[in-house]
Amino acid sequence: MYILVINSGSSSIKYQLFPKHSDQPVCNGLIERIGQTGGRITHEIFKTGAAQTIKLEQSVKDHEAGMQALAGLLTREDIAVIADPAQIGTVGHRVVHGGETLTKPTIITAEVKEKIRALYPLAPLHNPGHIKGIEVAEKLFPSATQIAVFDTAFHQTLPDKAYRYAIPERFYKEDGIRVYGFHGISHQYVAGEAMDWLKNQQAKLITIHLGNGCSMAAVSAGNCIDTSMGLTPLDGLVMGTRSGAIDPSVLLYLQQQKGFTAEQLNELLNKQSGMLALAGYNDMRDISRLYQEGAPAAKLAYELYTYRIKKFIGAYAVALNGLDAIVFTAGVGENDALTRELVCRDMEVLDVRIDIAKNQLREKGLRDLSLEDARTRILVIPTNEELAIARECRTLKDNTHTGA
Ligand code: AMP
């Protein structure tokens, strides 16, 4: 039997298929531009040792068509990884927002779907896509157990002093306005890997997820005690196209003095800000190239981006009252040596000292970039949200069967 992990977004579906008892996927893929022109499916198979990649340019009308194409690829005679969709015993779904009630991996029922729907106002860009993915998976794999794993769940251990905002309580009680935090599946995964590697389950860690979206978490003995994103994924660090933290009065100023509407502010802060606004590009590979060429805008962008991360490291080291390791992960964190170097430079106060040569090496898997005698480790740990979801599904099913 197999576990199919689905990460269904508003216009894309990412997937990975794992044998029930293995962490090695047999295939993965990405279905892009659903409901738009230029649909594309990339499907990778690992069954016979070397990876085989299939690329299909085809329009994908909606999520149902996308999932049907995926089911078709899994069983297509020449490249089949399973003989029958009934071999998929579990479908694990990444769900961005679980609010305050969906705090653990959960078997999906009508009631759970209702709760995910009730969170649409807090996650309008994500939860509707997840519900679509879930409903199509229920149709295509009717005998499978559908399980939801929530990106907010890891942050539910935050104390109230970290998750409440200093505004009247009714906004929390009536509207659920509080810090939720995101990228929780990734933070939890890399924190777990770091604790295992350090052989210290009590470790004090700062995990830094730097991808298109960027966030940080302060983790003590596996529990998250603070995180940089808030009610939505807009707060905290500077990101590809998002501003991160900004004085709320900037919004009031733009509204009152410049006539910006709520929609325009949303567009400005989520899509036209961050590195795109500072450097003209949102992909770190482009900005890094410009930095090496000496472009002043790219220099400022890198400095602002990494200075913000540094400030959170300082805050979290104090919140944790100690620091065993900082962990870099996701697209930028795993690949961009310049970001890591600028973050870790001039941080002797925390005994964070980076080995510049090791930082430049391109190696796979977990890497330790700290100088031998430094007390605080600097780790790069590739994130793997799909594997984390598959493992959660396994644990939940095992516990359900044993009645635990
Ligand atoms: P993610 O959201 O984790 O998939 O990260 C995507 C982002 O990672 C891209 O937008 C790039 O900014 C960044 N990225 C990916 N590969 C590299 C690389 N080799 N060097 C620097 N940045 C990279």
Side-chain angles (χ1 to χ4, degrees), residues 30-298:
L30 174 64
I31 303 169
E32 293 172 276
R33 303 185 61 82
I34 297 174
Q36 303 167 9
T37 51
R40 188 168 41 193
I41 303 177
T42 312
H43 181 71
E44 259 190 312
I45 304 155
F46 308 108
K47 227 182 167 182
T48 47
Q52 183 188 356
T53 306
I54 314 272
K55 286 191 183 200
L56 302 170
E57 307 280 335
Q58 65 179 68
S59 78
V60 184
K61 185 166 63 102
D62 51 24
H63 282 69
E64 181 149 7
M67 293 279 282
Q68 262 163 358
L70 153 61
L73 282 167
L74 299 180
T75 51
R76 199 176 94 181
E77 215 174 317
D78 54 331
I79 50 163
V81 287
I82 54 172
D84 183 337
Q87 283 176 273
I88 294 172
T90 309
V91 184
H93 299 266
R94 169 172 178 249
V95 176
V96 162
H97 217 308
E100 284 192 315
T101 55
L102 297 166
T103 60
K104 287 193 183 81
T106 306
I107 294 178
I108 299 171
T109 59
E111 194 191 342
V112 171
K113 281 193 279 181
E114 219 24 72
K115 286 185 180 172
I116 297 172
R117 281 199 193 93
L119 291 161
Y120 280 4
L122 292 178
L125 299 178
H126 296 100
N127 278 19
H130 301 324
I131 283 287
K132 275 190 201 151
I134 290 168
E135 295 194 323
V136 179
E138 285 172 336
K139 267 202 226 166
L140 288 177
F141 310 104
S143 57
T145 309
Q146 310 283 334
I147 293 176
V149 181
F150 301 95
D151 233 356
T152 44
F154 182 55
H155 306 299
Q156 281 293 311
T157 48
L158 256 56
D160 49 8
K161 66 183 175 192
Y163 74 71
R164 282 287 301 278
Y165 291 118
I167 56 174
E169 190 184 34
R170 67 175 187 280
F171 295 110
Y172 168 55
K173 291 268 186 234
E174 291 165 24
D175 300 293
I177 295 179
R178 53 160 285 176
V179 168
Y180 287 101
F182 298 89
H183 294 143
I185 298 166
S186 175
H187 286 293
Q188 185 170 19
Y189 175 80
V190 297
E193 296 288 300
M195 289 189 299
D196 289 349
W197 186 82
L198 292 164
K199 298 189 178 56
N200 178 5
Q201 296 302 312
Q202 303 304 312
K204 294 177 177 188
L205 306 170
I206 297 175
T207 51
I208 311 176
H209 178 111
L210 304 175
N212 280 321
C214 302
S215 70
M216 289 173 60
V219 184
S220 178
N223 295 311
C224 184
I225 65 156
D226 207 346
T227 193
S228 62
M229 284 177 168
L231 173 73
T232 71
L234 181 56
D235 203 3
L237 302 180
V238 176
M239 312 182 208
T241 62
R242 289 178 230 156
S243 63
I246 187 166
D247 180 349
S249 297
V250 173
L251 279 72
L252 298 176
Y253 177 88
L254 292 175
Q255 193 187 25
Q256 288 162 358
Q257 305 298 325
K258 300 276 177 183
F260 273 63
T261 62
E263 214 165 284
Q264 286 171 322
L265 289 174
N266 187 28
E267 180 79 12
L268 173 73
L269 296 181
N270 277 299
K271 306 229 171 104
Q272 298 164 2
S273 295
M275 299 302 265
L276 179 65
L278 294 169
Y281 293 90
N282 63 321
D283 192 307
M284 219 48 158
R285 286 163 284 203
D286 295 316
I287 307 164
S288 165
R289 182 176 36 80
L290 290 174
Y291 183 99
Q292 313 297 348
E293 288 166 14

Side-chain angles (χ1 to χ4, degrees), residues 230-376:
L231 173 73
T232 71
L234 181 56
D235 203 3
L237 302 180
V238 176
M239 312 182 208
T241 62
R242 289 178 230 156
S243 63
I246 187 166
D247 180 349
S249 297
V250 173
L251 279 72
L252 298 176
Y253 177 88
L254 292 175
Q255 193 187 25
Q256 288 162 358
Q257 305 298 325
K258 300 276 177 183
F260 273 63
T261 62
E263 214 165 284
Q264 286 171 322
L265 289 174
N266 187 28
E267 180 79 12
L268 173 73
L269 296 181
N270 277 299
K271 306 229 171 104
Q272 298 164 2
S273 295
M275 299 302 265
L276 179 65
L278 294 169
Y281 293 90
N282 63 321
D283 192 307
M284 219 48 158
R285 286 163 284 203
D286 295 316
I287 307 164
S288 165
R289 182 176 36 80
L290 290 174
Y291 183 99
Q292 313 297 348
E293 288 166 14
K299 183 167 180 287
L300 173 66
Y302 257 103
E303 285 176 352
L304 220 150
Y305 182 87
T306 53
Y307 181 57
R308 186 77 58 89
I309 298 168
K310 260 180 186 298
K311 288 204 286 189
F312 272 97
I313 292 176
Y316 287 174
V318 175
L320 289 161
N321 195 17
L323 184 59
D324 294 303
I326 62 177
V327 181
F328 288 96
T329 194
V332 178
E334 291 166 31
N335 296 300
D336 194 54
L338 180 58
T339 292
R340 295 189 300 254
E341 185 182 330
L342 293 176
V343 168
C344 295
R345 199 185 269 174
D346 303 327
M347 239 198 277
E348 288 81 8
V349 66
L350 298 175
D351 212 8
V352 170
R353 287 181 287 130
I354 193 163
D355 184 321
I356 303 288
K358 272 193 209 162
N359 185 40
Q360 294 295 338
L361 297 177
R362 294 199 151 267
E363 287 170 346
K364 291 204 158 148
L366 187 151
R367 292 187 284 150
D368 177 8
L369 307 182
S370 32
L371 290 171
E372 287 296 324
D373 61 338
R375 197 188 52 216
T376 309

